[in-house]
Amino acid sequence: VEALKGCVDVLGVDGQCRLSEAARIIEGSGMILQGNVDSYVLKYGTEAEVREAVRNNIDEAGGPGRHIMNLGHGVLQGTPEENVGYFVEEAQSYRGK
């Protein structure tokens, strides 16, 4: 992390790394995390599961405003449009634990 200070503003984290672990590693560095909600949750999940995935992602990154929210592999073909809406709504409105 020290080698990245001043060179990297945002660090993208894939689904293989827990955001809580990445947040711990970069703590105090000034870097922002970009973390991912699993695209399959959007495609196959219920409204409650989509919203929970967003909340968990935000909380693991350290709370609202602590990272950039996105999807691991974008919106997969066949994903219900409603689920994309739930994702966006929750990302915009969730205020943390």
Side-chain angles (χ1 to χ4, degrees):
V1 173
E2 286 298 317
L4 300 177
K5 281 186 179 179
C7 297
V8 175
D9 295 322
V10 178
L11 183 65
V13 180
D14 72 9
Q16 301 301 309
C17 179
R18 303 247 345 151
L19 275 176
S20 56
E21 179 66 10
R24 185 192 64 72
I25 291 168
I26 69 159
E27 188 173 356
S29 71
M31 283 186 264
I32 299 293
L33 292 175
Q34 178 173 319
N36 305 320
V37 169
D38 185 348
S39 300
Y40 287 93
V41 171
L42 251 66
K43 184 168 183 176
Y44 299 109
T46 64
E47 176 182 355
E49 290 168 334
V50 170
R51 291 183 184 276
E52 180 180 9
V54 170
R55 291 189 301 268
N56 288 343
N57 193 269
I58 291 170
D59 289 339
E60 283 193 17
R66 303 286 302 173
H67 88 302
I68 299 168
M69 173 70 72
N70 69 348
L71 293 170
H73 295 285
V75 178
L76 301 174
Q77 186 174 5
T79 297
E81 290 180 19
E82 311 81 60
N83 283 6
V84 175
Y86 303 144
F87 172 85
V88 172
E89 288 171 6
E90 199 64 30
Q92 291 176 335
S93 66
Y94 184 63
R95 300 291 174 241
K97 291 182 186 182

